[in-house]
Amino acid sequence: MDHPTSGPKAAEAYERARKVIAGGVSSDARRSAGVPLFVDHAAGAELWDVDGRRFLDYVLGQGPGLLGHASPLVADAVAAQARRGVAYAAQHELEAEVAERLCAMVPCAELVRFNSVGSEAVHGAIRLARGHTGRTVIIKFEGNYHGWLDPVLYSVHPDLAAAGDARHPAAVGGSAGLPPNGAADLIVLPYNDLDALAEIFADRGDTIAAVIMEPILCNTGCITPDPEFAAGARSLTTEHGALLIFDEIITGFRVAPGGGQEVIGVTPDLATFGKAMAGGMQVSALVGRRDVMDTISNGTVAHAGTFNSHPVAMAAANAVLTELHDQADRLYPALRQTGRSLMDGLRQIAGRHGVPLLVDGPGPVFQTYITDRSEVRDYRDFAGCDRSAMARLHELLYAGGVNIVPRGLWFLSTAHTEAQVAETLDVAEAAFARL
């Protein structure tokens, strides 16, 4: 039986929130055309809303729940540390343990600095790149999201009329209130277009501080870059003395123990991590080459924060990363297989109902597109998909008790079972029949 769109307790909670919280939600990502989801509790691959409705969850906190909700491993680590102290504004041994684990797992990690959220870590990476190189220009790609702070909130999902030429897109601001000249030192390029990147380096190579990119583009579909594009970005930045930054806030530890850089076989100079590294606790990390990170070590580039290496968050990260490292051979193949089984099932169901569905991604995270395209390689391809039909599919799945990211992104956890995948596919069967 379909779930109702929202229950009376959720509606009441939303009305209460709207009186004291701007827009009724604390992040724009939680906005909804109707009443947003109000969660009462969650466990494993399931969550329950305030009206008692159960959902199979493929959002997982927008990705952090790699081990599932309320993982006993995380809960025990957090509880134990909270009893020892919550915030010190001083050093403690856990942060070195977590940093050692990061350096052991991540190809580019030689030194580490911690923050609380992904946007902070990315901001630190960009400042560090500029401080280290003495240059100002940053290259980013259409469709890539690097946080909500001013320097990078451009051309995430821009209106194509404003974005202009696909080969030389305009930098389109993502919010009112950005500085009038905020994009003066930002160049926006199409993802997966090595010729466009090479052209810019040939013209302005001595001004470019860094190229920043998602090594697997998860904020616009789930796009693995062409091998030539990723390797070419590495080669061009090295040749011209610029830095290559990978934003691994989503891909880090989710797609492999070493993140997206392990999967695509390209090692950047700097990388940022968050989400899955602490099982839902608020921690992010900036990691990179020793000589680059030493620009922070020697005080040339400032990096600070009251809650950096927060002891409780570090306890969670230590527990999660230890588990992912020690159990990698058991956890990751099973996680990929679960994801691929779900992907294959969705393809088969869509085919039976005549829905043109493209399913793409490595398995631990994947995207469903409604499109006749055989592949999606960049933001312009993504924008050409039937996003209104995808929104309708999201509504039908949600009504049936399956929670996914509205734009069609699915996150898997180690807690998802074969039975839950089968239940999900039953809901999908009914959704595609109505779509």
Side-chain angles (χ1 to χ4, degrees):
M1 177 181 290
D2 283 354
H3 286 295
T5 302
S6 63
K9 289 185 178 180
E12 182 181 348
Y14 188 39
E15 284 304 308
R16 178 185 182 186
R18 290 173 64 190
K19 294 175 182 177
V20 289
I21 299 172
V25 296
S26 291
S27 170
D28 286 349
R30 301 171 200 163
R31 290 184 186 272
S32 172
V35 176
L37 176 62
F38 277 82
V39 177
D40 179 76
H41 67 285
E46 302 173 343
L47 58 82
W48 289 260
D49 75 359
V50 292
D51 288 285
R53 298 184 304 166
R54 167 185 170 270
F55 291 87
L56 293 172
D57 190 27
Y58 295 94
V59 177
L60 298 172
Q62 293 286 343
L66 184 61
L67 302 180
H69 292 292
S71 164
L73 187 78
V74 175
D76 291 346
V78 166
Q81 179 56 46
R83 287 190 291 268
R84 295 173 58 85
V86 173
Y88 302 141
Q91 299 308 111
H92 54 95
E93 290 185 332
L94 267 176
E95 60 183 324
E97 289 185 43
V98 176
E100 287 167 353
R101 184 64 71 195
L102 284 165
C103 291
M105 296 174 73
V106 177
C108 79
E110 294 179 345
L111 287 177
V112 179
R113 274 291 181 107
F114 293 106
N115 285 108
S116 296
V117 297
S119 292
E120 289 181 285
V122 170
H123 190 70
I126 289 172
R127 176 185 289 177
L128 177 56
R130 286 173 167 153
H132 181 77
T133 63
R135 303 172 181 178
T136 59
V137 175
I138 302 294
I139 293 175
K140 74 158 298 229
F141 299 98
E142 267 189 337
N144 285 230
Y145 175 71
H146 303 299
W148 71 288
L149 301 183
D150 287 0
V152 288
L153 193 58
Y154 290 87
S155 299
V156 179
H157 290 160
D159 178 85
L160 292 184
D165 178 58
R167 187 69 183 280
H168 304 96
V172 180
S175 171
L178 296 178
N181 298 316
D185 289 319
L186 185 70
I187 296 173
V188 178
L189 294 177
Y191 193 75
N192 251 338
D193 190 333
L194 182 57
D195 289 342
L197 183 61
E199 179 183 299
I200 288 295
F201 267 104
D203 183 46
R204 300 187 58 182
D206 60 352
T207 70
I208 297 167
V211 172
I212 185 168
M213 61 185 284
E214 295 180 57
I216 300 173
L217 178 47
C218 295
N219 280 291
T220 295
C222 191
I223 304 170
T224 300
D226 297 339
E228 297 80 7
F229 174 71
R234 174 67 284 177
S235 177
L236 286 166
T237 49
T238 301
E239 177 185 350
H240 291 273
L243 301 183
L244 180 62
I245 304 170
F246 278 0
D247 183 340
E248 297 238 39
I249 301 300
I250 291 179
T251 54
F253 311 109
R254 168 161 289 282
V255 296
Q261 58 195 266
E262 177 183 330
V263 171
I264 67 174
V266 172
T267 302
D269 302 295
L270 297 172
T272 58
F273 293 86
K275 293 191 185 291
M277 71 176 285
M281 290 298 292
Q282 64 279 32
V283 58
S284 62
L286 165 61
V287 311
R289 271 174 32 201
R290 181 175 296 275
D291 64 307
V292 179
M293 295 293 291
D294 272 340
T295 315
I296 292 175
S297 304
N298 64 26
T300 301
V301 169
H303 179 268
T306 298
F307 295 114
N308 290 359
S309 69
H310 189 278
V312 180
M314 287 291 99
N318 194 42
V320 169
L321 293 179
T322 299
E323 176 77 358
L324 296 179
H325 178 271
D326 293 351
Q327 301 298 321
D329 291 343
R330 176 178 63 86
L331 293 176
Y332 284 98
L335 182 64
R336 285 190 287 268
Q337 182 56 47
T338 302
R340 289 168 182 165
S341 293
L342 180 55
M343 294 167 71
D344 288 343
L346 291 169
R347 291 188 188 102
Q348 293 166 12
I349 291 168
R352 285 199 296 271
H353 292 281
V355 177
L357 187 75
L358 173 64
V359 187
D360 195 20
V365 57
F366 67 87
Q367 172 77 23
T368 46
Y369 313 86
I370 297 180
T371 179
D372 289 319
R373 297 176 183 272
S374 60
E375 62 177 352
V376 171
R377 301 184 65 253
D378 58 23
Y379 170 68
R380 302 292 173 118
D381 287 350
F382 174 83
C385 296
D386 192 338
R387 288 186 282 176
S388 62
M390 188 62 241
R392 176 61 178 155
L393 177 59
H394 166 258
E395 292 173 359
L396 291 168
L397 291 170
Y398 185 82
V402 172
N403 187 40
I404 70 169
V405 180
R407 67 179 180 272
L409 194 66
W410 301 62
F411 290 106
L412 272 291
S413 77
T414 60
H416 281 89
T417 66
E418 291 183 8
Q420 289 168 331
V421 168
E423 183 181 351
T424 301
L425 293 175
D426 286 342
V427 174
E429 187 83 52
F432 279 107
R434 294 180 63 183
L435 188 66

